[in-house]
Structure formats: C-alpha cells, structure tokens
Amino acid sequence: MVRVFAFMLGAVLAIALVRTAFVVIPASGVLEGENYADNAACTAVEIAPGTEDVTFDPVTGLAFVSAAERRTGVADPLNGIYAFDPDDPDSVRAVSTDAPADFRPHGISLYRDGEVARLFVISHPASGHQVLIYDIGADGTLSHVRTVTDPAIRSPNDIAATGPESFYVTNDAYFSGGPMAMAEPFLGLPGGSIAFFDGREGRIVAKSIAYANGIQLSPDGEEVYASAFIGRTVHVFDRNPVTGDLVRSAKHRVPLGLDNIELGEDGSLYIAGNTEVFSFLAHQSDPEARAPSKAVRVDPESGAWDTVFHDDGSGIDSASVAAPAGDRLILGAVFDSHVLVCPR
C-alpha cells in the first residue's frame, strides 16, 4: 500500500513538474526577449491608485477609468470611476459620486444605443461580487440604475455589455479558496469561464479558459473575444445574439500575459498585459519593483498581431489596458495611480 501511495504521489509530482515546464514557465515570459520602446512622448495623468481598466467614449470625448487600491484589499475612499478629456490632463474628476461605500471597481464596459448610454462596472465588495449598471450623464456623471448579483458571476474580472441590462463577464478562475485556488493558476489549469446575464438570470456559456481575463464584443455583435492570461491566447466565439450562447471558433496565440481588451475603430483588438509574470508578482508586494508590460493590436480574424506599446516599467508598471482614443492610446495599470496617454 505504501508503495502504491508513493508511486501515485510521484506521478502527481511528475505531472506537476511537466505542467510547470510546458505551461507556467512559458507563460511567465522569462523565455521572451525584450526590446523596450522610447515612451518619452507619453504623458502621465494622475488618477487614483489602481487604474486597472479604461474605456473611451467617442460621443463625449471622455475616457472612463476604473481605479481601486488593490494592494491592501480594503475599500479605499479614492476607489471609484473617474473621467477625463485626453486633450486636457487637468480635467480628471470622480464621476461615481453615488457609488456604495464598499466600492471596489474592476472591469468596465461602455454601452451606447441611441439615447441610452450606460457604464457597466464589476465591483468586489466584502459582501460578494457585483455588477453595477450606471446611466451616463451628458457631462459623464454616473447615476446608479441597478446592481446585479448572480451565482454564475462567481469570479468576475472583465465585462462586455450587450444591452441596457445584459452582459458577459469573464470568471478568471474556478476555485475560490483552499489549495486548489493556488494550484489552478500555478499549473495553468483552464478553470476560467464566461457567464452571460440576460437581464434576468445568469449562466455559464463558455469554459476551459486558462485564467479568463479581458472580454469584448465585436462591433456587429456577432462575435465575442476573451483573453487568457495564463494561456496567452485570444479565444474567439461565434455569438447567438438572441440566446447569448457562444461557440468557440478560433484560438489565437499571443506571447503576452493578456489582460483587458478594447476595440480599435477598425475592429482590431487592443490588449495590454504583463511580459514577465514574476516581475509583476514582485511589483505586487513592492511598489518600487518595476513590472514591464506591453500592448498589442490583434487582428481577430487571422490572429496576426503587432506591438503598439512596450515599457520596462519606468513609464507605467504592469499595464492592464490599452484604450484607443482618437490619435492617442491610454494605458492603465493594476497598481499604479496614473494612466499613460501616448500618441499612436
């Protein structure tokens, strides 16, 4: 019996080592060469700690920034949604003035249809995960409409609105606690998923994504794109606009720890992410440690990609989003308190 147990333990350890060698090490970025760009033309705009997600509204010309202090894990009074005009760095102001006290915003999504303009916001209060839906005023001020909770929204990271009260979210992981919660990302297990909320109830519509992160809807609403942080893959899904069902149609490899997804005017995907996961982990515990990152533009049909931003961490640490805004690109970060506005 002891020999059987020892054999089984050895087999498990061997599988873990193989998994680490072929999944985790490549995903860490340690095998990639770096060729950083000169970002002297970029302007740092101070917002609030943790400018994790950014989206640009071409109608108002405002960029919305989701900011939350993530190192301490407490509800910081500066947590909120901010807006500013990329042409005026001094125009930054908080627009989520009626947000709840325990507001911890994460991924955001802009929805526009005629006169309806809404911002969808993932939040992680101590009471559990939520999606807050806001009306957007003419000056960018947000007015709370509805708060959504649902069992299918179990580990939300990013969100893509599909209607006035419907949306997709990525659940980045399957396990929420215990040893498997640590093993899942370390072993690159594909436990991430996509949930769809139709305005009444939620359900899982896609699975098997190695740390599901960013999500975006195609301009015509017929496809959904999701990024896998550990899997370093963009997943493409055909979408049924009536039911919300998804069918995976393609997977594009991109050598980057992929984070949030924003759309270019031509439908291309702008995705920022970590180039070195271990540097990111060091930066998570030490604000002085630099965390390199880059942003890429991906053709969703062919998977062809090119680099549009690359920084060693001196301009911004661990860029998590690259939002096109006219002739500019706005970079946000997981922990830094500023965004970087760069020409493109």
mmCIF file with all atom_site columns, all heavy atoms in Angstrom, residues 78-83 93-100 103 105 134 140-143:
data_model
loop_
_atom_site.group_PDB
_atom_site.id
_atom_site.type_symbol
_atom_site.label_atom_id
_atom_site.label_alt_id
_atom_site.label_comp_id
_atom_site.label_asym_id
_atom_site.label_entity_id
_atom_site.label_seq_id
_atom_site.pdbx_PDB_ins_code
_atom_site.Cartn_x
_atom_site.Cartn_y
_atom_site.Cartn_z
_atom_site.occupancy
_atom_site.B_iso_or_equiv
_atom_site.pdbx_formal_charge
_atom_site.auth_seq_id
_atom_site.auth_comp_id
_atom_site.auth_asym_id
_atom_site.auth_atom_id
_atom_site.pdbx_PDB_model_num
ATOM 1   N N   . LEU A 1 78  ? -10.598 56.566 -2.189  1.00 0.00 ? 78  LEU A N   1
ATOM 2   C CA  . LEU A 1 78  ? -10.336 57.030 -3.545  1.00 0.00 ? 78  LEU A CA  1
ATOM 3   C C   . LEU A 1 78  ? -10.835 56.058 -4.610  1.00 0.00 ? 78  LEU A C   1
ATOM 4   O O   . LEU A 1 78  ? -10.803 56.376 -5.799  1.00 0.00 ? 78  LEU A O   1
ATOM 5   C CB  . LEU A 1 78  ? -8.832  57.276 -3.741  1.00 0.00 ? 78  LEU A CB  1
ATOM 6   C CG  . LEU A 1 78  ? -8.223  58.440 -2.957  1.00 0.00 ? 78  LEU A CG  1
ATOM 7   C CD1 . LEU A 1 78  ? -6.725  58.524 -3.212  1.00 0.00 ? 78  LEU A CD1 1
ATOM 8   C CD2 . LEU A 1 78  ? -8.904  59.757 -3.311  1.00 0.00 ? 78  LEU A CD2 1
ATOM 9   N N   . ASN A 1 79  ? -11.280 54.869 -4.194  1.00 0.00 ? 79  ASN A N   1
ATOM 10  C CA  . ASN A 1 79  ? -11.832 53.920 -5.161  1.00 0.00 ? 79  ASN A CA  1
ATOM 11  C C   . ASN A 1 79  ? -12.995 54.565 -5.906  1.00 0.00 ? 79  ASN A C   1
ATOM 12  O O   . ASN A 1 79  ? -13.864 55.199 -5.291  1.00 0.00 ? 79  ASN A O   1
ATOM 13  C CB  . ASN A 1 79  ? -12.348 52.665 -4.456  1.00 0.00 ? 79  ASN A CB  1
ATOM 14  C CG  . ASN A 1 79  ? -11.234 51.779 -3.926  1.00 0.00 ? 79  ASN A CG  1
ATOM 15  O OD1 . ASN A 1 79  ? -10.063 52.084 -4.065  1.00 0.00 ? 79  ASN A OD1 1
ATOM 16  N ND2 . ASN A 1 79  ? -11.627 50.687 -3.297  1.00 0.00 ? 79  ASN A ND2 1
ATOM 17  N N   . GLY A 1 80  ? -13.024 54.389 -7.233  1.00 0.00 ? 80  GLY A N   1
ATOM 18  C CA  . GLY A 1 80  ? -14.143 54.958 -7.967  1.00 0.00 ? 80  GLY A CA  1
ATOM 19  C C   . GLY A 1 80  ? -13.936 54.924 -9.459  1.00 0.00 ? 80  GLY A C   1
ATOM 20  O O   . GLY A 1 80  ? -12.932 54.413 -9.967  1.00 0.00 ? 80  GLY A O   1
ATOM 21  N N   . ILE A 1 81  ? -14.900 55.464 -10.176 1.00 0.00 ? 81  ILE A N   1
ATOM 22  C CA  . ILE A 1 81  ? -14.806 55.662 -11.610 1.00 0.00 ? 81  ILE A CA  1
ATOM 23  C C   . ILE A 1 81  ? -14.477 57.136 -11.849 1.00 0.00 ? 81  ILE A C   1
ATOM 24  O O   . ILE A 1 81  ? -15.151 58.026 -11.302 1.00 0.00 ? 81  ILE A O   1
ATOM 25  C CB  . ILE A 1 81  ? -16.114 55.292 -12.333 1.00 0.00 ? 81  ILE A CB  1
ATOM 26  C CG1 . ILE A 1 81  ? -16.514 53.856 -11.991 1.00 0.00 ? 81  ILE A CG1 1
ATOM 27  C CG2 . ILE A 1 81  ? -15.944 55.468 -13.845 1.00 0.00 ? 81  ILE A CG2 1
ATOM 28  C CD1 . ILE A 1 81  ? -15.523 52.791 -12.409 1.00 0.00 ? 81  ILE A CD1 1
ATOM 29  N N   . TYR A 1 82  ? -13.467 57.377 -12.649 1.00 0.00 ? 82  TYR A N   1
ATOM 30  C CA  . TYR A 1 82  ? -13.018 58.727 -12.961 1.00 0.00 ? 82  TYR A CA  1
ATOM 31  C C   . TYR A 1 82  ? -13.183 58.963 -14.461 1.00 0.00 ? 82  TYR A C   1
ATOM 32  O O   . TYR A 1 82  ? -13.181 58.021 -15.258 1.00 0.00 ? 82  TYR A O   1
ATOM 33  C CB  . TYR A 1 82  ? -11.562 58.920 -12.550 1.00 0.00 ? 82  TYR A CB  1
ATOM 34  C CG  . TYR A 1 82  ? -11.347 58.858 -11.046 1.00 0.00 ? 82  TYR A CG  1
ATOM 35  C CD1 . TYR A 1 82  ? -11.301 57.636 -10.376 1.00 0.00 ? 82  TYR A CD1 1
ATOM 36  C CD2 . TYR A 1 82  ? -11.192 60.021 -10.299 1.00 0.00 ? 82  TYR A CD2 1
ATOM 37  C CE1 . TYR A 1 82  ? -11.117 57.584 -9.007  1.00 0.00 ? 82  TYR A CE1 1
ATOM 38  C CE2 . TYR A 1 82  ? -10.996 59.975 -8.918  1.00 0.00 ? 82  TYR A CE2 1
ATOM 39  C CZ  . TYR A 1 82  ? -10.961 58.754 -8.280  1.00 0.00 ? 82  TYR A CZ  1
ATOM 40  O OH  . TYR A 1 82  ? -10.782 58.703 -6.908  1.00 0.00 ? 82  TYR A OH  1
ATOM 41  N N   . ALA A 1 83  ? -13.312 60.226 -14.821 1.00 0.00 ? 83  ALA A N   1
ATOM 42  C CA  . ALA A 1 83  ? -13.408 60.589 -16.231 1.00 0.00 ? 83  ALA A CA  1
ATOM 43  C C   . ALA A 1 83  ? -12.498 61.775 -16.500 1.00 0.00 ? 83  ALA A C   1
ATOM 44  O O   . ALA A 1 83  ? -12.287 62.630 -15.626 1.00 0.00 ? 83  ALA A O   1
ATOM 45  C CB  . ALA A 1 83  ? -14.852 60.934 -16.608 1.00 0.00 ? 83  ALA A CB  1
ATOM 46  N N   . ARG A 1 93  ? -11.802 63.955 -12.894 1.00 0.00 ? 93  ARG A N   1
ATOM 47  C CA  . ARG A 1 93  ? -12.741 64.104 -11.779 1.00 0.00 ? 93  ARG A CA  1
ATOM 48  C C   . ARG A 1 93  ? -13.451 62.777 -11.530 1.00 0.00 ? 93  ARG A C   1
ATOM 49  O O   . ARG A 1 93  ? -13.611 61.951 -12.436 1.00 0.00 ? 93  ARG A O   1
ATOM 50  C CB  . ARG A 1 93  ? -13.776 65.194 -12.061 1.00 0.00 ? 93  ARG A CB  1
ATOM 51  C CG  . ARG A 1 93  ? -14.633 64.935 -13.274 1.00 0.00 ? 93  ARG A CG  1
ATOM 52  C CD  . ARG A 1 93  ? -15.446 66.176 -13.662 1.00 0.00 ? 93  ARG A CD  1
ATOM 53  N NE  . ARG A 1 93  ? -16.222 65.909 -14.868 1.00 0.00 ? 93  ARG A NE  1
ATOM 54  C CZ  . ARG A 1 93  ? -17.461 65.418 -14.861 1.00 0.00 ? 93  ARG A CZ  1
ATOM 55  N NH1 . ARG A 1 93  ? -18.054 65.146 -13.703 1.00 0.00 ? 93  ARG A NH1 1
ATOM 56  N NH2 . ARG A 1 93  ? -18.105 65.210 -15.993 1.00 0.00 ? 93  ARG A NH2 1
ATOM 57  N N   . ALA A 1 94  ? -13.858 62.579 -10.297 1.00 0.00 ? 94  ALA A N   1
ATOM 58  C CA  . ALA A 1 94  ? -14.625 61.393 -9.931  1.00 0.00 ? 94  ALA A CA  1
ATOM 59  C C   . ALA A 1 94  ? -16.051 61.554 -10.429 1.00 0.00 ? 94  ALA A C   1
ATOM 60  O O   . ALA A 1 94  ? -16.665 62.608 -10.234 1.00 0.00 ? 94  ALA A O   1
ATOM 61  C CB  . ALA A 1 94  ? -14.613 61.192 -8.427  1.00 0.00 ? 94  ALA A CB  1
ATOM 62  N N   . VAL A 1 95  ? -16.580 60.529 -11.098 1.00 0.00 ? 95  VAL A N   1
ATOM 63  C CA  . VAL A 1 95  ? -17.945 60.607 -11.633 1.00 0.00 ? 95  VAL A CA  1
ATOM 64  C C   . VAL A 1 95  ? -18.887 59.596 -10.990 1.00 0.00 ? 95  VAL A C   1
ATOM 65  O O   . VAL A 1 95  ? -20.086 59.620 -11.250 1.00 0.00 ? 95  VAL A O   1
ATOM 66  C CB  . VAL A 1 95  ? -17.949 60.431 -13.168 1.00 0.00 ? 95  VAL A CB  1
ATOM 67  C CG1 . VAL A 1 95  ? -17.265 61.610 -13.842 1.00 0.00 ? 95  VAL A CG1 1
ATOM 68  C CG2 . VAL A 1 95  ? -17.296 59.121 -13.587 1.00 0.00 ? 95  VAL A CG2 1
ATOM 69  N N   . SER A 1 96  ? -18.353 58.720 -10.140 1.00 0.00 ? 96  SER A N   1
ATOM 70  C CA  . SER A 1 96  ? -19.194 57.716 -9.463  1.00 0.00 ? 96  SER A CA  1
ATOM 71  C C   . SER A 1 96  ? -19.550 58.223 -8.070  1.00 0.00 ? 96  SER A C   1
ATOM 72  O O   . SER A 1 96  ? -19.280 57.570 -7.058  1.00 0.00 ? 96  SER A O   1
ATOM 73  C CB  . SER A 1 96  ? -18.464 56.376 -9.383  1.00 0.00 ? 96  SER A CB  1
ATOM 74  O OG  . SER A 1 96  ? -17.195 56.537 -8.765  1.00 0.00 ? 96  SER A OG  1
ATOM 75  N N   . THR A 1 97  ? -20.158 59.392 -8.006  1.00 0.00 ? 97  THR A N   1
ATOM 76  C CA  . THR A 1 97  ? -20.409 60.043 -6.719  1.00 0.00 ? 97  THR A CA  1
ATOM 77  C C   . THR A 1 97  ? -21.459 59.329 -5.877  1.00 0.00 ? 97  THR A C   1
ATOM 78  O O   . THR A 1 97  ? -21.504 59.512 -4.659  1.00 0.00 ? 97  THR A O   1
ATOM 79  C CB  . THR A 1 97  ? -20.836 61.502 -6.940  1.00 0.00 ? 97  THR A CB  1
ATOM 80  O OG1 . THR A 1 97  ? -21.948 61.536 -7.849  1.00 0.00 ? 97  THR A OG1 1
ATOM 81  C CG2 . THR A 1 97  ? -19.682 62.317 -7.535  1.00 0.00 ? 97  THR A CG2 1
ATOM 82  N N   . ASP A 1 98  ? -22.328 58.529 -6.496  1.00 0.00 ? 98  ASP A N   1
ATOM 83  C CA  . ASP A 1 98  ? -23.329 57.800 -5.709  1.00 0.00 ? 98  ASP A CA  1
ATOM 84  C C   . ASP A 1 98  ? -22.995 56.321 -5.575  1.00 0.00 ? 98  ASP A C   1
ATOM 85  O O   . ASP A 1 98  ? -23.874 55.483 -5.336  1.00 0.00 ? 98  ASP A O   1
ATOM 86  C CB  . ASP A 1 98  ? -24.731 57.981 -6.303  1.00 0.00 ? 98  ASP A CB  1
ATOM 87  C CG  . ASP A 1 98  ? -24.890 57.304 -7.673  1.00 0.00 ? 98  ASP A CG  1
ATOM 88  O OD1 . ASP A 1 98  ? -23.854 56.949 -8.275  1.00 0.00 ? 98  ASP A OD1 1
ATOM 89  O OD2 . ASP A 1 98  ? -26.040 57.138 -8.126  1.00 0.00 ? 98  ASP A OD2 1
ATOM 90  N N   . ALA A 1 99  ? -21.714 55.992 -5.707  1.00 0.00 ? 99  ALA A N   1
ATOM 91  C CA  . ALA A 1 99  ? -21.282 54.599 -5.552  1.00 0.00 ? 99  ALA A CA  1
ATOM 92  C C   . ALA A 1 99  ? -21.415 54.162 -4.101  1.00 0.00 ? 99  ALA A C   1
ATOM 93  O O   . ALA A 1 99  ? -21.362 54.993 -3.182  1.00 0.00 ? 99  ALA A O   1
ATOM 94  C CB  . ALA A 1 99  ? -19.837 54.444 -6.006  1.00 0.00 ? 99  ALA A CB  1
ATOM 95  N N   . PRO A 1 100 ? -21.586 52.869 -3.845  1.00 0.00 ? 100 PRO A N   1
ATOM 96  C CA  . PRO A 1 100 ? -21.692 52.390 -2.461  1.00 0.00 ? 100 PRO A CA  1
ATOM 97  C C   . PRO A 1 100 ? -20.384 52.594 -1.703  1.00 0.00 ? 100 PRO A C   1
ATOM 98  O O   . PRO A 1 100 ? -19.314 52.779 -2.299  1.00 0.00 ? 100 PRO A O   1
ATOM 99  C CB  . PRO A 1 100 ? -22.017 50.901 -2.642  1.00 0.00 ? 100 PRO A CB  1
ATOM 100 C CG  . PRO A 1 100 ? -21.538 50.562 -4.014  1.00 0.00 ? 100 PRO A CG  1
ATOM 101 C CD  . PRO A 1 100 ? -21.726 51.797 -4.831  1.00 0.00 ? 100 PRO A CD  1
ATOM 102 N N   . PHE A 1 103 ? -17.024 50.228 -2.378  1.00 0.00 ? 103 PHE A N   1
ATOM 103 C CA  . PHE A 1 103 ? -16.897 50.171 -3.832  1.00 0.00 ? 103 PHE A CA  1
ATOM 104 C C   . PHE A 1 103 ? -15.476 49.760 -4.199  1.00 0.00 ? 103 PHE A C   1
ATOM 105 O O   . PHE A 1 103 ? -14.512 50.435 -3.824  1.00 0.00 ? 103 PHE A O   1
ATOM 106 C CB  . PHE A 1 103 ? -17.233 51.536 -4.420  1.00 0.00 ? 103 PHE A CB  1
ATOM 107 C CG  . PHE A 1 103 ? -17.426 51.556 -5.924  1.00 0.00 ? 103 PHE A CG  1
ATOM 108 C CD1 . PHE A 1 103 ? -18.052 50.521 -6.588  1.00 0.00 ? 103 PHE A CD1 1
ATOM 109 C CD2 . PHE A 1 103 ? -16.988 52.652 -6.666  1.00 0.00 ? 103 PHE A CD2 1
ATOM 110 C CE1 . PHE A 1 103 ? -18.246 50.556 -7.961  1.00 0.00 ? 103 PHE A CE1 1
ATOM 111 C CE2 . PHE A 1 103 ? -17.178 52.703 -8.040  1.00 0.00 ? 103 PHE A CE2 1
ATOM 112 C CZ  . PHE A 1 103 ? -17.812 51.658 -8.686  1.00 0.00 ? 103 PHE A CZ  1
ATOM 113 N N   . PRO A 1 105 ? -14.103 48.846 -7.688  1.00 0.00 ? 105 PRO A N   1
ATOM 114 C CA  . PRO A 1 105 ? -14.332 48.622 -9.126  1.00 0.00 ? 105 PRO A CA  1
ATOM 115 C C   . PRO A 1 105 ? -13.202 47.874 -9.793  1.00 0.00 ? 105 PRO A C   1
ATOM 116 O O   . PRO A 1 105 ? -12.038 47.960 -9.390  1.00 0.00 ? 105 PRO A O   1
ATOM 117 C CB  . PRO A 1 105 ? -14.477 50.046 -9.680  1.00 0.00 ? 105 PRO A CB  1
ATOM 118 C CG  . PRO A 1 105 ? -13.728 50.901 -8.721  1.00 0.00 ? 105 PRO A CG  1
ATOM 119 C CD  . PRO A 1 105 ? -13.918 50.263 -7.375  1.00 0.00 ? 105 PRO A CD  1
ATOM 120 N N   . TYR A 1 134 ? -24.773 51.844 -14.533 1.00 0.00 ? 134 TYR A N   1
ATOM 121 C CA  . TYR A 1 134 ? -24.952 53.280 -14.361 1.00 0.00 ? 134 TYR A CA  1
ATOM 122 C C   . TYR A 1 134 ? -25.408 53.935 -15.662 1.00 0.00 ? 134 TYR A C   1
ATOM 123 O O   . TYR A 1 134 ? -24.935 53.572 -16.745 1.00 0.00 ? 134 TYR A O   1
ATOM 124 C CB  . TYR A 1 134 ? -23.633 53.947 -13.950 1.00 0.00 ? 134 TYR A CB  1
ATOM 125 C CG  . TYR A 1 134 ? -23.141 53.596 -12.577 1.00 0.00 ? 134 TYR A CG  1
ATOM 126 C CD1 . TYR A 1 134 ? -22.244 52.552 -12.381 1.00 0.00 ? 134 TYR A CD1 1
ATOM 127 C CD2 . TYR A 1 134 ? -23.552 54.336 -11.469 1.00 0.00 ? 134 TYR A CD2 1
ATOM 128 C CE1 . TYR A 1 134 ? -21.776 52.244 -11.116 1.00 0.00 ? 134 TYR A CE1 1
ATOM 129 C CE2 . TYR A 1 134 ? -23.090 54.030 -10.196 1.00 0.00 ? 134 TYR A CE2 1
ATOM 130 C CZ  . TYR A 1 134 ? -22.202 52.984 -10.024 1.00 0.00 ? 134 TYR A CZ  1
ATOM 131 O OH  . TYR A 1 134 ? -21.745 52.681 -8.773  1.00 0.00 ? 134 TYR A OH  1
ATOM 132 N N   . GLY A 1 140 ? -20.757 63.176 -18.228 1.00 0.00 ? 140 GLY A N   1
ATOM 133 C CA  . GLY A 1 140 ? -20.020 61.989 -17.806 1.00 0.00 ? 140 GLY A CA  1
ATOM 134 C C   . GLY A 1 140 ? -20.355 61.496 -16.414 1.00 0.00 ? 140 GLY A C   1
ATOM 135 O O   . GLY A 1 140 ? -19.888 60.427 -16.005 1.00 0.00 ? 140 GLY A O   1
ATOM 136 N N   . THR A 1 141 ? -21.145 62.262 -15.662 1.00 0.00 ? 141 THR A N   1
ATOM 137 C CA  . THR A 1 141 ? -21.506 61.835 -14.311 1.00 0.00 ? 141 THR A CA  1
ATOM 138 C C   . THR A 1 141 ? -22.369 60.572 -14.359 1.00 0.00 ? 141 THR A C   1
ATOM 139 O O   . THR A 1 141 ? -23.253 60.448 -15.206 1.00 0.00 ? 141 THR A O   1
ATOM 140 C CB  . THR A 1 141 ? -22.273 62.951 -13.581 1.00 0.00 ? 141 THR A CB  1
ATOM 141 O OG1 . THR A 1 141 ? -21.441 64.116 -13.502 1.00 0.00 ? 141 THR A OG1 1
ATOM 142 C CG2 . THR A 1 141 ? -22.647 62.522 -12.170 1.00 0.00 ? 141 THR A CG2 1
ATOM 143 N N   . LEU A 1 142 ? -22.120 59.658 -13.446 1.00 0.00 ? 142 LEU A N   1
ATOM 144 C CA  . LEU A 1 142 ? -22.814 58.375 -13.417 1.00 0.00 ? 142 LEU A CA  1
ATOM 145 C C   . LEU A 1 142 ? -23.953 58.389 -12.406 1.00 0.00 ? 142 LEU A C   1
ATOM 146 O O   . LEU A 1 142 ? -23.804 58.905 -11.291 1.00 0.00 ? 142 LEU A O   1
ATOM 147 C CB  . LEU A 1 142 ? -21.836 57.252 -13.070 1.00 0.00 ? 142 LEU A CB  1
ATOM 148 C CG  . LEU A 1 142 ? -20.601 57.100 -13.969 1.00 0.00 ? 142 LEU A CG  1
ATOM 149 C CD1 . LEU A 1 142 ? -19.742 55.935 -13.478 1.00 0.00 ? 142 LEU A CD1 1
ATOM 150 C CD2 . LEU A 1 142 ? -21.001 56.902 -15.425 1.00 0.00 ? 142 LEU A CD2 1
ATOM 151 N N   . SER A 1 143 ? -25.074 57.788 -12.805 1.00 0.00 ? 143 SER A N   1
ATOM 152 C CA  . SER A 1 143 ? -26.228 57.639 -11.915 1.00 0.00 ? 143 SER A CA  1
ATOM 153 C C   . SER A 1 143 ? -26.579 56.162 -11.827 1.00 0.00 ? 143 SER A C   1
ATOM 154 O O   . SER A 1 143 ? -26.830 55.519 -12.856 1.00 0.00 ? 143 SER A O   1
ATOM 155 C CB  . SER A 1 143 ? -27.429 58.425 -12.450 1.00 0.00 ? 143 SER A CB  1
ATOM 156 O OG  . SER A 1 143 ? -27.120 59.800 -12.567 1.00 0.00 ? 143 SER A OG  1
#
